[in-house]
């Protein structure tokens, strides 16, 4: 696994990047006991983290080098938690970019359990695309 | 809470390193110091860290709200959440998440969480909905 394609927090969770192509990313994670809440099922924060990472990367796959100059950042997210998952379950998250604009991008993600394919969670995210580079050029030029 | 109790309370909350500072009926406050493993490539905090904090804080506030009328509660589970990311925290920042329960019914509870920077600026705001499972433990076996 290429660590450069995984943020420090994704590495901390333990997600694996399975596929990345234009506007699409698939990540997976085998749930461990430390990914749970007091009820022994997956903590909601684990799957929202995976969805956020999948979409951040899916957007990166479309933006390429431009994403390094002018990074994108999550500004809004919503998630519906549809079924519980437990340690030992493998969670597969697919992220798809819905629209990439000049300053804003939208994407959606689905989390399913590998094997039976049950839908665990679904989310939609909005990202802001910074215009640092352009701003600086304007300031320098202006 | 002792460290062992906190770990038992929520393994994921413990694993990411957040600290439960205060918990009373309908309110909870958690804090976290942003470390390298909580970040994106650019040193800003990963959105999943914030959503994890929010879910943990609200879950604690709801848990603390259970009174004598709630002795049939088997547990609660997050069904929906939305988050607006307003200003990213960075490496070394201590962020504080405050959760307030807005309403608790028989089956549903809704609350909101604010995450703030050390300066007091709002880092993110979220609203979460929980389903409350009730019944008699002996009748609830699946």
């Amino acid at each position: 696994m290429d660590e450069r394609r995984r943020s420090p927090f994704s590495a901390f969770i333990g997600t694996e990047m399975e596929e990345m192509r234009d506007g699409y990313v698939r990540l997976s994670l085998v749930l461990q006991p430390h990914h749970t809440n007091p009820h022994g099922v997956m903590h909601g924060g684990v799957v929202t983290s995976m969805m956020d990472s999948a979409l951040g990367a899916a957007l990166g796959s479309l933006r390429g080098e431009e994403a390094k100059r002018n990074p994108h950042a999550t500004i809004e997210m919503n998630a519906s938690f549809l079924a519980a998952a437990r340690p030992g379950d493998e969670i597969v998250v697919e992220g798809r970019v819905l629209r990439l604009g000049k300053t804003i991008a939208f994407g959606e993600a689905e989390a399913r359990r590998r094997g039976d394919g049950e839908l665990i969670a679904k989310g939609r995210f909005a990202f802001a695309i910074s215009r640092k580079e352009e701003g600086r050029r304007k300031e320098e030029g202006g | 809470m002792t460290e062992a109790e906190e770990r038992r309370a929520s393994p994921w909350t413990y694993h990411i390193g957040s600290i439960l500072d205060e918990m009373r009926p309908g309110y909870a406050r958690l804090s976290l110091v942003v470390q390298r493993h909580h970040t994106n490539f650019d040193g800003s905090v990963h959105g999943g860290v914030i959503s994890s904090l929010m879910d943990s804080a609200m879950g604690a506030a709801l848990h603390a709200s259970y009174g004598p009328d709630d002795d049939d509660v088997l547990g609660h589970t997050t069904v929906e959440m939305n988050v607006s990311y307003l200003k990213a925290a960075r490496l070394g920042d201590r962020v504080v998440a405050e959760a307030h329960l807005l309403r608790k019914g028989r089956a549903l509870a809704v609350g909101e969480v604010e995450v703030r920077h050390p300066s007091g600026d709002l880092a993110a705001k979220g609203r979460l909905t929980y389903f409350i499972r009730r019944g008699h433990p002996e009748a609830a076996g699946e």
Side-chain angles (χ1 to χ4, degrees), chain B residues 6-56:
Chain B
E6 198 155 335
R7 186 196 288 260
R8 208 162 37 239
S10 180
W12 179 242
T13 307
Y14 178 83
H15 189 69
I16 68 169
S18 61
I19 292 166
L20 181 62
D21 295 321
E22 195 183 340
M23 182 176 167
R24 50 183 157 81
Y27 175 86
R29 191 175 74 245
L30 287 180
S31 61
L32 173 116
V33 176
V34 178
Q35 296 167 63
R36 183 76 195 125
H37 62 260
H38 294 129
T39 61
N40 294 307
F41 297 102
D42 63 354
S44 62
V45 72
H46 192 286
V49 174
I50 301 296
S51 56
S52 294
L53 267 185
M54 286 183 167
D55 199 3
S56 296

Side-chain angles (χ1 to χ4, degrees), chain A residues 3-10 12-13 33-39 43-46 48-50 52-53 71-72 74-82 86 125 132, chain B residues 8-13 15-17 36-42 46-49 51-53 55-56 74-86 133 142:
Chain A
E3 287 296 328
R4 284 167 303 180
R5 287 166 64 185
R6 186 158 85 155
S7 70
F9 188 58
S10 292
F12 178 71
I13 297 179
H34 65 256
H35 293 124
T36 61
N37 63 26
H39 306 298
H43 192 288
V46 173
T48 54
S49 298
M50 289 180 74
D52 200 343
S53 293
H72 45 266
T74 317
I75 51 170
E76 191 80 31
M77 73 91 100
N78 65 64
S80 300
F81 303 95
L82 306 164
R86 293 180 169 74
F125 289 65
K132 280 179 200 157
Chain B
R8 208 162 37 239
S10 180
W12 179 242
T13 307
H15 189 69
I16 68 169
R36 183 76 195 125
H37 62 260
H38 294 129
T39 61
N40 294 307
F41 297 102
D42 63 354
H46 192 286
V49 174
S51 56
S52 294
L53 267 185
D55 199 3
S56 296
L74 301 175
H76 54 246
T77 160
T78 320
V79 290
E80 187 86 29
M81 80 182 288
N82 65 66
V83 181
S84 299
Y85 296 96
L86 304 164
R133 284 180 293 121
E142 289 175 53

